[in-house]
Amino acid sequence: MHDNDATQRFLDSLPELAPDQEFRFACHPQVPCFNACCGDLNLMLTPYDVLRLRRALGEPSAEFVRTRAHVALAPDTGLPLMRLRMRDDKRRSCPFVSPQGCTVYPDRPSACRTYPLGRATRLDEDGAVRERFFLVRESHCKGFGQDSAFTPATWLTDQELAIYNASNDRTMRLMARIKATGKPVDPRRANMAALALYQLDSFGDFIRDTGLLGRLEMAPGRAEAVLADEAARLEFAQDWLTLVLFGCCEGLAVRR
């Protein structure tokens, strides 16, 4: 089963939370199971996750992908998927966990931020992203015995997920469009997507070497931002891939 399908099946087995429904949860060193969930994980990394982690670690993208990720192609889209490489120990521990907690906490992946919620998204016919939330209550977790109360909305705010979800939803739109065609992208375009989405430093070199930005129409100032900032470059990559794959993209066009 494809990872996205398996995730959806798992979420559908959990209790769904209404947008204003409260739950109690906290995770900190005083919780008895602190760090217990940071192992034996199939932790998928989104392009924005990779951007933040690689930048925090100060690693070139090629090194990050080679040493810290397992890479596969999604069978329904042909796009690359990345999963965090765990330590080779009995617990399959997260490489970033320490006795004191997460060593990359300010830049931890979106899946870690969202827990203990599961967030499922879909596109409506009008292109709007609809989200549903589920509570992942694992038997070992003592965080649910804490006093802090949240709703899905306040939890997303507390965990600073807005910027993560905005980028992840852009990638989800691209994947949904490809999936709707019923035809995965070919290997050449899969390699292009791997470069553009997950290797933003190398993608910047590609942009400069090929003069790509000069061949495109875009909003004033965007080209400069794409060259200067990797977050802006990722947004451009998502739009550019949409343009390449489907021939059109709002806000981006081939210069005539």
Side-chain angles (χ1 to χ4, degrees):
M1 178 178 289
H2 178 255
D3 284 323
N4 288 347
D5 296 330
T7 298
Q8 185 60 57
R9 184 175 177 178
F10 171 68
L11 291 175
D12 287 342
S13 71
L14 301 174
E16 184 173 355
L17 290 179
D20 58 350
Q21 185 175 348
E22 283 195 348
F23 64 96
R24 294 186 178 276
F25 183 81
C27 184
H28 50 74
Q30 285 69 51
V31 177
C33 61
F34 185 62
N35 283 349
C37 60
C38 301
D40 198 23
L41 300 172
N42 289 317
L43 184 62
M44 303 306 297
L45 297 175
T46 69
Y48 190 72
D49 290 336
V50 172
L51 183 162
R52 290 285 295 262
L53 284 171
R54 185 181 61 76
R55 191 165 60 188
L57 296 166
E59 295 179 356
S61 59
E63 178 183 347
F64 182 95
V65 171
R66 179 177 58 82
T67 64
R68 299 196 183 274
H70 297 285
V71 184
L73 296 180
D76 55 356
T77 65
L79 292 183
L81 297 173
M82 293 207 180
R83 180 165 50 90
L84 184 64
R85 188 183 296 271
M86 297 294 167
R87 289 182 182 140
D88 187 18
D89 58 20
K90 290 182 179 180
R91 289 192 61 226
R92 293 185 62 245
S93 304
C94 173
F96 305 123
V97 71
S98 74
Q100 293 73 39
C102 179
T103 60
V104 293
Y105 189 80
D107 298 282
R108 64 200 183 280
S110 47
C112 303
R113 291 171 183 268
T114 306
Y115 186 86
L117 295 183
R119 177 179 182 259
T121 58
R122 64 177 176 85
L123 288 180
D124 277 355
E125 291 183 0
D126 61 0
V129 176
R130 303 300 177 192
E131 57 185 4
R132 298 164 64 202
F133 294 98
F134 304 83
L135 195 61
V136 183
R137 189 184 289 271
E138 298 179 288
S139 58
H140 71 266
C141 183
K142 308 302 181 185
F144 293 101
Q146 305 300 301
D147 292 333
S148 302
F150 298 93
T151 65
T154 58
W155 181 253
L156 265 60
T157 298
D158 184 79
Q159 297 298 300
E160 300 178 340
L161 271 157
I163 191 169
Y164 281 81
N165 288 346
S167 182
N168 295 345
D169 288 350
R170 289 171 67 93
T171 303
M172 182 270 293
R173 284 190 179 95
L174 175 63
M175 296 178 70
R177 286 192 67 176
I178 297 171
K179 188 173 181 178
T181 68
K183 184 179 180 180
V185 300
D186 58 69
R188 181 180 66 83
R189 289 181 171 180
N191 287 334
M192 183 189 307
L195 173 70
L197 296 175
Y198 293 100
Q199 301 188 50
L200 290 166
D201 51 353
S202 298
F203 185 50
D205 294 337
F206 170 83
I207 289 171
R208 295 181 183 91
D209 293 345
T210 61
L212 175 62
L213 298 178
R215 303 198 300 270
L216 299 171
E217 297 281 358
M218 64 189 75
R222 188 178 189 186
E224 292 78 8
V226 167
L227 292 174
D229 178 68
E230 286 193 348
R233 197 175 306 156
L234 176 56
E235 287 190 9
F236 169 78
Q238 292 157 332
D239 286 349
W240 178 67
L241 288 170
T242 300
L243 179 64
V244 169
L245 295 174
F246 299 101
C248 62
C249 177
E250 184 178 355
L252 194 67
V254 176
R255 190 183 298 277
R256 303 298 182 187

